Amino acid sequence: MDHSADPTFAAPYLDIDEWRDAPVPHRYAHGGFRGTDTRFSLYFPPAGDYRGRFFQHITPVPDSEHLAQRATGREDKIGFAFSCGAYFVETNGGGDPATPGGPVADATITAYRANAAAAQYSRVVARRLYGDHRPYGYAYGGSGGGYRTIGGAESTEGVWDGFVPYVIGSPMAIPNVFAVRMHAQRILRDSLDRIADAADAGSARAVDAGLTEEERATLAEVTRMGFPLRSWFGHRTMGFHAFGTLYPHIVTVDPAYFAGFWSSPGHLGAEPDASVHRDRVRHRGPTSGAITAEQAAAQGLPDQRAAGTPRGGFDEAFKGPRGEKDSVVAVGLPGFPARIQGADLVVITGAAAGARATVTGFHGDAAVLDAPDRAGILARLEPGDLVDIDNSAFLAAQTYHRHQVPDRTYPVWDQFRDAAGDPQYPQRPFLLGPLFTQAASGHLPTGRFTGKMIVVSCLLDREAFPWQADWYRERVREHLGDRTDDHFRLWFVDHALHGDDEYQEHPTRTVTYLGVLHQALRELSAWVETGRTPAATTRYSVEDGQVRVPARAADRLGVQPVVTLTVDGADRVEIAAGQRVRLEAVAETPPGAGPIVALAWDFDGTGAFTDTTDPDPAAAVTIGRDHVFTEPGTHFVTVRVSAQLDGDPATPFARTDNLARARVVVG
């Protein structure tokens, strides 16, 4: 569809058009489209730095058009765009998104039409500034923004020339990836430390060693569904991510499932000996009152809603212009008798009677809410008011994926089929995942798009299981066949999670993938504008839901460097205190990627990486060194390497990282 004449966006306007010197010198324009909720910000570099293109970031859900102004370091989207000779486009996505079970809305507006209209109008402004030309345009977005980027790629022509969707889901992702993960978190909660240790470097144990029969079956189920086995190290803070937002819509769309879960044969709740009965809580008791964000921060209450975000916490999470620090984020429940993850809270008595909220978990006597009560209803709570806590529906949701078996293009669900290929469990009358996907992207992905595309996916992604990037690649191959490599790449990033953050919660286990995104946008623009082919698709296989890649960079391909670390020639050594060991890091880059420009060591597990080496830029680097451990216990040494497309160790952009670990047991 040609969106240059979309009648909904026929009346653009600018309400700000001015020169600014910060954060970098640029022309700033802000505006919207009359009769709509769509707003946009445009950032134009000086004419001498402009090279005829723009980058447009698409957020996971419609958000502010002012986000990029606050970003720094590798997250600086404006600075990165300018370094590539591009201006930067950001929108608010068009307003509130459509949701299954919510108010009727045109999902295409927030999915891609608002972004497309802003992209097209940005060219009008660019021509005024730089003269008559057609700027090349490139859209990129992750998670829900990946759905929306693909929606734009497949539903428009002539708006963008290339696309970088990243950490993408499939049409069956929601709510199933969260459901099976929560199921595993509940059953494996007392064994996840041992599982994480067994999956770590230098382990001598099988990951399922010492598990009960129920635990072993659950670990197999979640692993076959695609949860990265090596990613359980983050179990203490991963929470249930976006599920709290999705959950009310699931209950609204499919209430019959929850009504029948505890009694209908074939459902876990109908099995009398299932542990789900042990964990079911229906509690009524008095509250000690509401807890605001400011009070929670003062009490040191952890922000379970923003779990996994290193800069989270209530004090950071609710700063803003709308009085968020006064919002209720938790409810006091003295002496609550159970340990649960996820529940419904309903106020029974008092001025707030009838109010409902989603609880993510408990910290001491506080029931932490999934989202702040900005409407102010829970602020009416008084000490002594009665509330109900019921986790029945949350427990039911944890096995919803078993009752959502799709077609054979999703082999991770084959574990729920019998020998004849039929589902083992009763099935719901519809698949919920495609409804959520349709609301996010305006249509269901087909693999049919115009232009070029590079998809970036992370091998430790706990929210968008990595096999889903392969699912989309297969849809592209169905459409393009032998011409797939003329239009499409898929790059996997090892040791990377879901969030596009520079700073990592677990820096000795994970790296940022921002540098890979930067390289994707640079190589994509060269591919479109000059025909220069980008680095090859990562070589990989998908086995029982797990994406596996070759050990050597020359075999793995893609753009990420690969590094191995040995201690006295192995990934594990047992020594006496004070004994010297020999560490050796071997790093290499795949063909077409930039050289290794930096190497850093962590010996104490803090993730500070203060011990650094700056090698001469090269495609392969070997660094050896000695170290002495004096404290008894198990230590992990981590080495992190960085490559840079142009061999520049100083720039924060297009700097791709990887790491390796080795285990040292000191007796």
Side-chain angles (χ1 to χ4, degrees):
M1 177 180 177
D2 180 2
H3 280 73
S4 61
D6 189 331
T8 301
F9 302 95
Y13 66 88
L14 295 181
D15 51 16
I16 301 176
D17 185 4
E18 62 188 20
W19 183 261
R20 293 182 176 180
D21 291 319
V24 292
H26 68 282
R27 187 81 183 182
Y28 175 70
H30 177 275
F33 298 89
R34 291 184 177 86
T36 78
D37 294 326
T38 300
R39 303 291 182 269
F40 55 78
S41 289
L42 310 176
Y43 304 84
F44 296 97
D49 298 329
Y50 177 60
R51 297 201 290 274
R53 63 180 69 101
F54 71 83
F55 293 156
Q56 180 173 358
H57 182 250
I58 297 176
T59 50
V61 295
D63 208 323
S64 169
E65 72 274 23
H66 302 297
L67 297 177
Q69 298 177 18
R70 302 193 293 266
T72 59
R74 294 196 199 184
E75 298 177 22
D76 180 2
K77 297 178 178 66
I78 301 170
F80 169 69
F82 286 12
S83 76
C84 300
Y87 67 85
F88 183 72
V89 179
E90 185 172 49
T91 81
N92 70 345
D96 292 334
T99 55
V104 176
D106 185 346
T108 63
I109 290 178
T110 54
Y112 57 84
R113 286 172 57 200
N115 288 316
Q120 292 288 52
Y121 183 64
S122 78
R123 290 188 169 102
V124 174
V125 182
R127 283 194 289 270
R128 294 175 188 165
L129 294 176
Y130 304 120
D132 190 32
H133 71 299
R134 180 195 178 277
Y136 291 97
Y138 305 97
Y140 67 109
S143 192
Y147 281 125
R148 301 169 74 207
T149 301
I150 290 173
E154 296 187 354
S155 303
T156 68
E157 292 185 17
V159 178
W160 299 283
D161 302 284
F163 310 88
V164 181
Y166 57 98
V167 294
I168 61 174
S170 69
M172 286 300 297
I174 301 171
N176 302 299
V177 297
F178 300 111
V180 70
R181 186 175 91 175
M182 290 163 57
H183 177 62
Q185 287 172 281
R186 178 181 67 83
I187 293 176
L188 298 170
R189 60 195 178 196
D190 295 322
S191 299
L192 287 174
D193 282 335
R194 286 184 289 132
I195 292 169
D197 182 73
D200 206 348
S203 170
R205 295 187 297 108
V207 291
D208 61 354
L211 299 185
T212 66
E213 181 178 348
E214 181 189 37
E215 289 176 328
R216 187 173 289 109
T218 300
L219 180 62
E221 179 177 346
V222 70
T223 304
R224 289 171 184 158
M225 279 292 288
F227 185 96
L229 186 59
R230 294 179 294 143
S231 209
W232 281 116
F233 61 82
H235 73 91
R236 294 185 186 279
T237 57
M238 72 173 67
F240 52 63
H241 202 260
F243 186 80
T245 302
L246 304 170
Y247 165 73
H249 304 297
I250 301 169
V251 176
T252 299
V253 173
D254 195 4
Y257 169 78
F258 297 92
F261 176 81
W262 297 97
S263 58
S264 298
H267 295 75
L268 187 63
E271 299 177 13
D273 297 328
S275 64
V276 73
H277 297 285
R278 172 202 66 198
D279 293 329
R280 189 180 188 185
V281 173
R282 288 170 288 181
H283 169 80
R284 175 170 293 183
T287 175
S288 58
I291 301 172
T292 66
E294 191 167 23
Q295 291 168 338
Q299 296 173 21
L301 195 62
D303 180 7
Q304 298 186 37
R305 299 157 305 90
T309 303
R311 289 164 293 172
F314 285 114
D315 194 45
E316 288 296 318
F318 297 119
K319 284 181 178 176
R322 297 175 293 177
E324 291 92 335
K325 295 186 78 172
D326 293 329
S327 298
V328 174
V329 298
V331 173
L333 287 175
F336 185 74
R339 178 178 66 166
I340 64 174
Q341 180 189 34
D344 292 303
L345 180 150
V346 180
V347 182
I348 304 302
T349 64
R356 294 176 174 270
T358 300
V359 174
T360 64
F362 286 81
H363 182 74
D365 289 338
V368 181
L369 305 185
D370 175 68
D373 175 41
R374 291 195 174 99
I377 298 174
L378 291 179
R380 305 171 193 165
L381 272 178
E382 296 290 343
D385 288 348
L386 293 179
V387 298
D388 277 351
I389 297 288
D390 190 339
N391 70 342
S392 300
F394 265 85
L395 294 174
Q398 292 174 7
T399 47
Y400 193 80
H401 59 284
R402 296 180 179 178
H403 308 278
Q404 292 277 284
V405 177
D407 62 49
R408 290 288 195 170
T409 64
Y410 298 91
V412 298
W413 266 272
D414 287 348
Q415 61 182 304
F416 306 120
R417 300 181 190 273
D418 60 23
D422 298 320
Q424 298 175 350
Y425 299 103
Q427 297 298 293
R428 305 306 304 151
F430 53 83
L431 297 175
L432 191 53
L435 299 180
F436 278 101
T437 304
Q438 182 86 23
S441 61
H443 83 311
L444 296 180
T446 64
R448 295 178 177 269
F449 62 89
T450 301
K452 311 284 190 185
M453 181 182 292
I454 299 176
V455 171
V456 175
S457 180
C458 298
L459 293 181
L460 297 189
D461 196 330
R462 306 172 302 210
E463 285 77 46
F465 297 165
W467 63 260
Q468 296 176 106
D470 171 71
W471 180 92
Y472 186 69
R473 184 187 182 212
E474 288 303 307
R475 306 292 76 74
V476 174
R477 288 168 61 90
E478 289 174 358
H479 171 49
L480 293 176
D482 293 340
R483 297 182 294 118
T484 297
D485 287 346
D486 295 334
H487 296 271
F488 183 86
R489 293 288 189 274
L490 168 54
W491 294 345
F492 280 109
V493 187
D494 199 10
H495 298 108
L497 298 172
H498 191 70
D500 53 357
D501 304 304
E502 177 176 0
Y503 299 101
Q504 302 292 294
E505 181 187 17
H506 303 280
T508 64
R509 294 179 181 267
T510 63
V511 297
T512 179
Y513 59 84
L514 284 171
V516 178
L517 291 185
H518 296 160
Q519 188 158 343
L521 286 163
R522 287 185 173 181
E523 294 203 29
L524 178 68
S525 60
W527 195 12
V528 168
E529 297 167 27
T530 70
R532 189 180 72 198
T533 56
T537 287
T538 305
R539 286 198 182 116
Y540 65 93
S541 61
V542 183
E543 305 168 19
D544 286 334
Q546 300 293 295
V547 174
R548 307 188 189 283
V549 294
R552 297 189 64 249
D555 299 324
R556 186 179 301 186
L557 302 180
V559 297
Q560 187 185 28
V562 175
V563 58
T564 58
L565 176 63
T566 57
V567 51
D568 288 346
D571 63 357
R572 175 192 176 103
V573 68
E574 298 184 13
I575 61 171
Q579 182 177 335
R580 186 179 302 273
V581 296
R582 181 65 176 175
L583 299 163
E584 184 174 82
V586 179
E588 56 182 0
T589 60
I596 304 293
V597 297
L599 184 146
W601 301 86
D602 179 274
F603 297 103
D604 57 10
T606 63
F609 289 98
T610 54
D611 195 320
T612 61
T613 302
D614 295 321
D616 293 332
V621 172
T622 299
I623 302 290
R625 62 175 301 160
D626 295 335
H627 193 77
V628 176
F629 292 89
T630 58
E631 295 294 327
T634 298
H635 303 264
F636 285 93
V637 180
T638 305
V639 63
R640 186 180 66 202
V641 299
S642 301
Q644 206 281 328
L645 186 60
D646 303 314
D648 183 355
T651 178
F653 303 130
R655 184 183 176 103
T656 57
D657 300 338
N658 205 346
L659 59 77
R661 288 160 61 86
R663 186 184 305 236
V664 180
V665 181
V666 181

